[in-house]
Amino acid sequence: MKRTGWLIVLVVLLVVAGASIGHLLGRDADPRELTGVIGSEKAGFFADPEVKAALARHGLRLRLDPAGSRRMAGMPLDGYDFAFPGSAPAAVEIARHRRPAAPAVTVFSSPLAVASTSPIVDLLQSAGLARRAAAGGHWTLDVKALVEANQRQLRWDQIPGNATFQVKQAVLVATTRPADSNSAALYAAILNQVTGGNLNAVTKLFADQGAVDTTTEEPFESWLSRTTDFAPLVLVYEAQFLDRGKGDNHVLLYPQPTIVSEHTVVPFTAAGAELAKLLQTDPQLQRLGAAHGFRTAGAPLAPGAAALGGPDVIPSPDEPTLQALLDALEERLA
C-alpha cells in the first residue's frame, strides 16, 4: 500500500478510537439534548458554565423552560423529559396529571426566606416584627406578629421613629401568586398555621399586595435592581439570596416559622430519570448546587445559611391539604 493510503487508514483509526474513548468517558461530540421545565429559581444554577460542562461530561445538554412550580401541573408537558419544581407537593401534583417514567427524586432543598435591607430590618425590629435568633444570630421575621400588624392596618409610615421609609404602604411581604408559584403556596401554608386556619387573615396578606408575578425569580429580580423602590420585603428562597442577593446593606430574614422546600425532579422519560439521579448523586453537581446556595446532601451549608431546626421549621403540608388551601384562597382572591 502506498504511503498516502497508510496515512488515510491511520487517520481513520485515530478518529474512530477517539470517538470510542470519548463515548466511554461520557464526552460525546454530540451530547443528548434533554428538555425540561424548571422552577425559575434554579435558572442560575443551570446557566452556570461549570454545571453545563459537568453535564456535558456525562453526554448531556439541557434545553430548559422556566415556569411557576404550581403552574407546571396545568401545562402541556408532552415533549419534556422532566419537570423540576420547587417542592415535593408540587411534584406530586405534576405526577398526578402526567404519569412519570420513574419515581420523583429530591435533588436540593432551600428554606423560604425574605430579602430586605438593613434600614427596613431596623424598622421591623423597632416594631417588634423582627429579631435576631438566640442561636446562630440570623434574622427572623415573626409571621404571627406580621399577621396581627396587617390586621390592624399597620403602614410603614406609622412605625414610631421611622425616618427612613415613610411610605403609606401596608407592612407585608411581597410574594408571587399562590396558585402559580410554590414559594407563595408554602407561604400561604405558614400563614394558615400561625393564624389557626383564619382564611380571612391569610387572604388579606395576599390581597393587599395587588397584582403579583407568577414565578419566584421575577420579584427577586425586581428587588435586586430596585430594592425598596420595588418592595421593602420580598419572599425568596434562601438559595436565591445566597447566590445573588448579598449586597452592602442587604439582609436575609427567615420567616418564623419557615418551611424547607424540597426541589424535586419528576422524570417523564428514561433520560429524565437518568438526569435526576445524576443531579442527586454526582459530587460535582451537588457541590455546584451548594455553591448556588442550595442545601444538598453532599456539601456543607453555603456561607450565610442559618442552621435551622426545632420550632424554626414546620413541615410542608401534603398535596391534598395544600391544594384545598390554595383553592379556597384563589376563590377569595378572584
Side-chain angles (χ1 to χ4, degrees):
M1 183 180 291
K2 293 182 178 180
R3 183 177 180 183
T4 302
W6 280 111
L7 287 174
I8 293 173
V9 171
L10 180 60
V11 169
V12 170
L13 289 173
L14 288 173
V15 169
V16 171
S20 299
I21 293 171
H23 177 73
L24 290 173
L25 293 176
R27 297 174 182 174
D28 291 345
D30 185 19
R32 290 176 295 160
E33 182 176 80
L34 276 63
T35 58
V37 56
I38 64 169
S40 62
E41 69 285 340
K42 291 179 281 289
F45 167 76
F46 283 112
D48 186 333
E50 287 192 69
V51 173
K52 291 182 177 181
L55 292 171
R57 282 191 286 273
H58 291 277
L60 300 176
R61 180 177 65 240
L62 305 185
R63 180 168 59 81
L64 303 171
D65 295 322
S69 293
R70 303 285 315 173
R71 193 177 185 184
M72 291 179 192
M75 292 175 58
L77 295 173
D78 293 340
Y80 286 108
D81 291 291
F82 66 94
F84 197 175
S87 74
V92 169
E93 184 66 6
I94 292 167
R96 188 174 71 84
H97 284 79
R98 179 177 173 183
R99 187 180 298 277
V105 175
T106 296
V107 174
F108 306 132
S109 65
S110 188
L112 286 187
V114 176
S116 190
T117 60
S118 298
I120 295 299
V121 172
D122 289 343
L123 288 177
L124 292 173
Q125 185 178 34
S126 70
L129 301 178
R131 65 182 65 88
R132 284 195 179 275
H138 56 275
W139 282 102
T140 64
L141 177 67
D142 188 330
V143 178
K144 186 174 182 180
L146 179 70
V147 174
E148 292 169 351
N150 184 252
Q151 287 292 294
R152 64 177 187 268
Q153 310 288 341
L154 179 67
R155 301 193 314 253
W156 290 102
D157 64 335
Q158 295 172 331
I159 296 177
N162 178 3
T164 58
F165 193 66
Q166 297 178 323
V167 296
K168 295 182 178 181
Q169 296 176 358
V171 177
L172 48 75
V173 177
T175 74
T176 44
R177 183 169 175 257
D180 291 332
S181 173
N182 175 69
S183 60
L186 295 184
Y187 182 58
I190 293 172
L191 295 173
N192 191 59
Q193 170 141 330
V194 302
T195 62
N198 184 341
L199 193 56
N200 287 332
V202 175
T203 301
K204 190 173 184 301
L205 268 296
F206 290 100
D208 285 357
Q209 297 181 51
V212 295
D213 294 310
T214 60
T215 70
T216 309
E217 190 70 6
E218 291 172 289
F220 182 56
E221 286 287 348
S222 297
W223 181 82
L224 285 176
S225 61
R226 298 165 53 196
T227 59
T228 53
D229 287 340
F230 171 71
L233 300 170
V234 175
L235 188 70
V236 296
Y237 291 107
E238 174 194 64
Q240 290 175 288
F241 186 93
L242 296 181
D243 188 26
R244 299 176 56 218
K246 293 183 286 187
D248 289 340
N249 71 340
H250 293 179
V251 178
L252 181 68
L253 303 96
Y254 293 87
Q256 176 65 35
T258 189
I259 290 178
V260 176
S261 189
E262 297 177 325
H263 296 256
T264 303
V265 177
V266 183
F268 303 133
T269 64
E274 178 186 339
L275 173 68
K277 192 67 175 176
L278 183 65
L279 289 169
Q280 183 192 50
T281 61
D282 183 82
Q284 184 181 16
L285 289 169
Q286 286 279 292
R287 177 184 62 77
L288 289 169
H292 282 271
F294 290 101
R295 297 178 182 226
T296 74
L301 290 179
L308 304 174
D312 296 330
V313 180
I314 61 174
S316 175
D318 59 42
E319 176 55 27
T321 301
L322 182 58
Q323 189 60 55
L325 170 62
L326 297 180
D327 288 344
L329 184 59
E330 187 71 8
E331 182 177 350
R332 288 170 177 254
L333 291 172

